[in-house]
Amino acid sequence: MSTNLENRKFVIGGMAIAIVVVYLMRLFALQILSDDYKRNADSNAFLKKIQYPSRGLITDRHGKLLVYNEPAYNLMVTMDEQHGIDTLDFCRTLGITRDFYIARMMDIKDSKKHPGYSRHTPQLFLPQIPAREFSQIEEKLFKFRGFSVERRSIRRYVYGVGAHILGDVGEVSQQNIDDDPYYQSGDYIGKIGVESSYERDLRGEKGMNILLRDVHGRIKGRYQNGRFDRRPQPGRNLQLSIDIDLQALGERIMEGKIGAIVAIEPKTGEILCMVSSPSYDPRLMIGRNRGINQKRLQLNPRKPLLNRAISGQYPPGSTFKPTQALTFLQEGIITPGTQFACHHGLTIGRFHQACHGHASPLSLVPAIATSCNAYFSWGFYYMMSNRRKYRNIEDAFTRWKDYIVSMGYGYKLGVDMPGERRGMIPNAAYYDKHYRKHWNGVTIISDAIGQGEVNATPLQIANLAATIANRGYYITPHIVSRVEHSHIDSTYHEKHFTMVEHRWYNYVVQGMRQAVLGGTCRAANLPGIEVCGKTGTAQNRGHDHSAFIGFAPMNDPKIAIAVYVENGGFGADFGVPIGAVMMEQYLNGKLSAHGERVAEEFQHRHISYGTGER
């Protein structure tokens, strides 16, 4: 019995010692190893007041100011200090309802929405009050205990165009805070466009003022006379490559239509305009009504928030035919003098593909000029069927796909904006699965004329025009040409060469020039400017899509362009005249009287979507 008691003493004593050791270790960790207590003590003694930097300015390629900052104010509330105010007077002063006041207070206290909520620190009550409105509030603010002001700035957009390019700035999400310690609740971040993709350059670096507080939390002055204060560093300014006048013209012409216009400077890859229609005024996305306006735009069935220039995926139609000509020439499937017959189309067995009327037979250059479906379909069929050169259909198609990918299709180009899609260039495995390995050149012959499973973004289609203009290479398209005190990514200086030799491009250029002089692009013939062009009519349920690619001048290209109008009909109906007006504006700096008439006409030529009627 005594032995058992002795054992119990040792067990209980050991447990007591273990508990004491654990407590001592925890106290050591908290007080010595961890700075939690120090930070809590500091937070009681110091108030670290963030000084927000001014966001970088944005200009166009000619230095015209597009986006700037204007003083604004956040109204903050500290719950622990907020009491005894006349809420009716407060609501009248701010121009809000009492219901809004109650709902906002409840929302601020919601710890699920605001994990960092504290009754003792200022919380955002009302954001981005413009200076002109705040002046009316400021003189009465002393009456409302617990409410204070935080000086911020608000973005201002000079022009009502370029919304998809410029983007907008909104309050950070919890995900943004978790991903980057720079941000805290109430901060603003670029949401879309260059405001998002160049956020780190535009945002600058925060500053900080350290203030002393007494035991009641009252401010007693600056800590050590501001010795440890840090001034904010303003964000870097951006110069975009776009021409704002060209952008505005494109958006004006595309009113009442769904589609996109993309123009590129071939030698540099700089994007001169990027129009997505329908669009919206970027000024709708600032201030207190941002959320309301954004919801309204999201509910619009025509999806004005979608940047179709980089996110829309369309069959390129006949604008794709130059890729076929180049592939067939390089692979030796055809020569520039090879002729194929076309009797309003081609017939292979039971398969028939229609084509419009023109001379027959014809060689490569007139085939491009007249946009002959039969010519390029025959070339594709012979390539897919050539067993002396390719082991099987899979081998031939893979070789074909490699050429198309080298020309910028099938994968993201890498534009410096969020939201780019890759388009679709199928591979042999796709067709093996889809047709259970029973397919041939006739099965997929629509790929040759930019139909079938082939899809591309308007940016990729414009990039093809730039590649042809350069006779065999492109530079990754980009929207920012200069970042203040920095450099743009080296990617946007590199030449990407295709798998096709320089010499073969000359025949495609000749064909595109003939298309303007007497072929399908006659409406693009501008006085004194050698324009090269190619129409595209993409088959679609209901009305076909109207497309056009072109560049000018022929031997010293300054602009390459793609126009895509959903349900616009033939390429010559909408694509060609719109493309011609855009090129004239950029090359001449203004429109001729004829060009202005064309622009006015197409501005008011709307397409009624959903009914199939124009």
Side-chain angles (χ1 to χ4, degrees):
M1 186 70 175
S2 60
T3 304
N4 289 338
L5 288 173
E6 289 292 327
N7 290 338
R8 285 182 185 177
K9 286 180 184 179
F10 287 123
V11 170
I12 294 170
M15 291 174 63
I17 292 170
I19 292 170
V20 170
V21 169
V22 169
Y23 272 104
L24 288 173
M25 290 175 64
R26 181 58 180 157
L27 286 170
F28 178 80
L30 288 173
Q31 295 187 28
I32 306 301
L33 300 182
S34 171
D35 62 352
D36 287 350
Y37 280 114
K38 181 180 184 301
R39 283 190 283 108
N40 288 336
D42 284 351
S43 67
N44 291 328
F46 304 121
L47 173 63
K48 296 179 179 178
K49 195 170 183 181
I50 299 295
Q51 300 296 303
Y52 291 94
S54 59
R55 201 166 173 87
L57 308 179
I58 303 177
T59 60
D60 87 335
R61 68 186 295 108
H62 303 297
K64 292 183 179 179
L65 185 62
L66 305 180
V67 187
Y68 65 97
N69 304 301
E70 186 178 272
Y73 301 87
N74 285 347
L75 187 61
M76 314 296 290
V77 59
T78 304
M79 294 297 192
D80 205 39
E81 300 174 3
Q82 190 268 325
H83 55 81
I85 71 166
D86 184 339
T87 55
L88 289 178
D89 186 24
F90 179 79
C91 292
R92 278 196 301 268
T93 301
L94 264 66
I96 60 175
T97 65
R98 193 167 186 276
D99 289 341
F100 175 87
Y101 173 85
I102 294 170
R104 184 63 186 140
M105 286 297 192
M106 294 297 292
D107 181 72
I108 291 170
K109 295 175 184 178
D110 189 340
S111 59
K112 291 181 179 178
K113 291 184 180 179
H114 309 282
Y117 168 74
S118 168
R119 290 185 56 85
H120 308 290
T121 58
Q123 307 293 317
L124 181 63
F125 180 81
L126 205 61
Q128 296 187 335
I129 303 173
R132 59 184 178 277
E133 293 182 25
F134 178 73
S135 61
Q136 301 169 10
I137 300 170
E138 186 178 25
E139 60 188 33
K140 296 183 66 175
L141 197 60
F142 73 94
K143 297 170 60 177
F144 310 123
R145 289 194 58 181
F147 285 91
S148 59
V149 173
E150 180 182 74
R151 184 183 173 88
R152 300 296 294 271
S153 63
I154 194 170
R155 291 300 249 177
R156 288 295 182 191
Y157 299 88
V158 179
Y159 300 88
V161 299
H164 295 101
I165 297 171
L166 300 173
D168 63 84
V169 175
E171 193 172 343
V172 292
S173 66
Q174 188 57 45
Q175 186 65 52
N176 297 140
I177 297 170
D178 294 340
D179 291 343
D180 191 336
Y182 175 90
Y183 301 106
Q184 60 186 36
S185 181
D187 282 358
Y188 299 113
I189 190 173
K191 293 292 185 179
I192 58 173
V194 295
E195 291 277 20
S196 172
S197 55
Y198 285 84
E199 166 67 14
R200 288 182 177 273
D201 293 298
L202 288 166
R203 73 188 185 186
E205 293 295 330
K206 296 174 183 174
M208 183 181 293
N209 288 343
I210 304 175
L211 306 175
L212 283 170
R213 299 198 288 195
D214 63 16
V215 293
H216 301 291
R218 293 173 298 204
I219 303 300
K220 304 303 290 183
R222 299 169 69 184
Y223 176 62
Q224 291 195 13
N225 293 320
R227 179 183 172 189
F228 296 101
D229 290 354
R230 187 172 69 248
R231 294 174 62 85
Q233 299 298 314
R236 297 187 180 103
N237 299 329
L238 299 184
Q239 183 172 32
L240 304 188
S241 59
I242 67 163
D243 181 317
I244 194 61
D245 294 328
L246 188 67
Q247 180 74 25
L249 174 63
E251 293 194 22
R252 174 161 72 95
I253 293 176
M254 289 295 287
E255 285 181 16
K257 307 167 192 67
I258 296 177
I261 304 173
V262 178
I264 299 171
E265 183 178 64
K267 289 184 177 70
T268 63
E270 293 183 351
I271 295 172
L272 304 174
C273 79
M274 180 184 283
V275 176
S276 176
S277 182
S279 186
Y280 59 95
D281 190 330
R283 292 170 291 200
L284 292 173
M285 304 299 278
I286 57 177
R288 282 184 279 169
N289 292 325
R290 180 182 186 277
I292 297 170
N293 292 331
Q294 185 176 41
K295 187 173 182 179
R296 180 172 57 81
L297 291 169
Q298 286 173 338
L299 295 175
N300 188 320
R302 294 194 180 183
K303 300 180 179 179
L305 291 175
L306 175 67
N307 186 353
R308 289 173 167 83
I310 60 175
S311 298
Q313 299 180 103
Y314 301 101
S318 295
T319 63
F320 197 62
K321 288 174 182 174
T323 68
Q324 305 306 288
L326 294 163
T327 300
F328 303 155
L329 287 168
Q330 185 66 38
E331 282 293 281
I333 303 300
I334 63 171
T335 68
T338 299
Q339 293 188 331
F340 292 122
C342 175
H343 302 290
H344 296 282
L346 85 161
T347 301
I348 304 175
R350 289 181 294 178
F351 174 81
H352 179 74
Q353 185 180 77
C355 188
H356 50 276
H358 52 71
S360 176
L362 72 176
S363 59
L364 178 63
V365 169
I368 294 172
T370 58
S371 194
C372 176
N373 285 339
Y375 190 95
F376 298 98
S377 296
W378 277 120
F380 184 81
Y381 175 73
Y382 287 134
M383 182 175 178
M384 295 300 112
S385 305
N386 191 331
R387 291 299 164 265
R388 286 180 297 178
K389 192 174 183 68
Y390 314 104
R391 291 173 300 167
N392 48 45
I393 181 69
E394 290 85 0
D395 186 31
F397 189 76
T398 298
R399 185 65 174 166
W400 176 87
K401 177 181 180 291
D402 289 343
Y403 275 99
I404 306 306
V405 169
S406 79
M407 297 181 207
Y409 289 89
Y411 294 91
K412 295 178 182 180
L413 285 168
V415 66
D416 52 344
M417 290 184 66
E420 184 187 5
R421 302 291 294 275
R422 62 179 288 177
M424 169 68 168
I425 300 296
N427 56 24
Y430 174 90
Y431 285 127
D432 278 344
K433 181 179 180 181
H434 189 73
Y435 291 109
R436 298 179 182 179
K437 296 195 174 184
H438 294 291
W439 56 286
N440 55 39
V442 176
T443 314
I444 59 170
I445 204 165
S446 293
D447 287 353
I449 57 172
Q451 299 283 168
E453 286 69 38
V454 172
N455 273 324
T457 65
L459 178 67
Q460 291 171 330
I461 299 171
N463 189 62
L464 174 65
T467 305
I468 298 170
N470 289 332
R471 279 52 165 187
Y473 73 87
Y474 67 88
I475 295 173
T476 302
H478 52 284
I479 207 84
V480 172
S481 60
R482 192 175 73 86
V483 180
E484 184 184 27
H485 306 313
S486 186
H487 302 282
I488 64 170
D489 195 305
S490 60
T491 302
Y492 302 123
H493 295 295
E494 297 172 5
K495 292 181 179 179
H496 300 270
F497 288 90
T498 73
M499 294 170 58
V500 180
E501 294 174 44
H502 177 277
R503 60 182 174 134
W504 299 126
Y505 279 89
N506 293 324
Y507 295 100
V508 171
V509 170
Q510 289 177 37
M512 292 177 68
R513 179 62 183 149
Q514 289 302 313
V516 173
L517 290 175
T520 56
C521 299
R522 288 185 294 273
N525 197 5
L526 299 174
I529 301 173
E530 290 185 302
V531 177
C532 298
K534 180 72 195 74
T535 51
T537 304
Q539 294 176 7
N540 176 59
R541 293 171 188 160
H543 281 288
D544 294 340
H545 301 320
S546 177
F548 167 77
I549 61 170
F551 61 90
M554 179 173 70
N555 293 318
D556 185 22
K558 300 285 195 305
I559 181 172
I561 193 166
V563 179
Y564 206 102
V565 180
E566 293 187 27
N567 305 141
F570 293 115
D573 290 347
F574 279 84
V576 175
I578 290 174
V581 166
M582 295 293 287
M583 284 190 283
E584 181 186 24
Q585 168 67 38
Y586 183 71
L587 294 172
N588 293 340
K590 62 180 181 179
L591 293 178
S592 63
H594 172 72
E596 190 57 57
R597 284 195 299 271
V598 173
E600 189 74 16
E601 175 192 347
F602 279 89
Q603 178 184 353
H604 295 100
R605 189 186 291 185
H606 293 188
I607 298 176
S608 180
Y609 293 91
T611 63
E613 299 177 356
R614 281 194 292 279

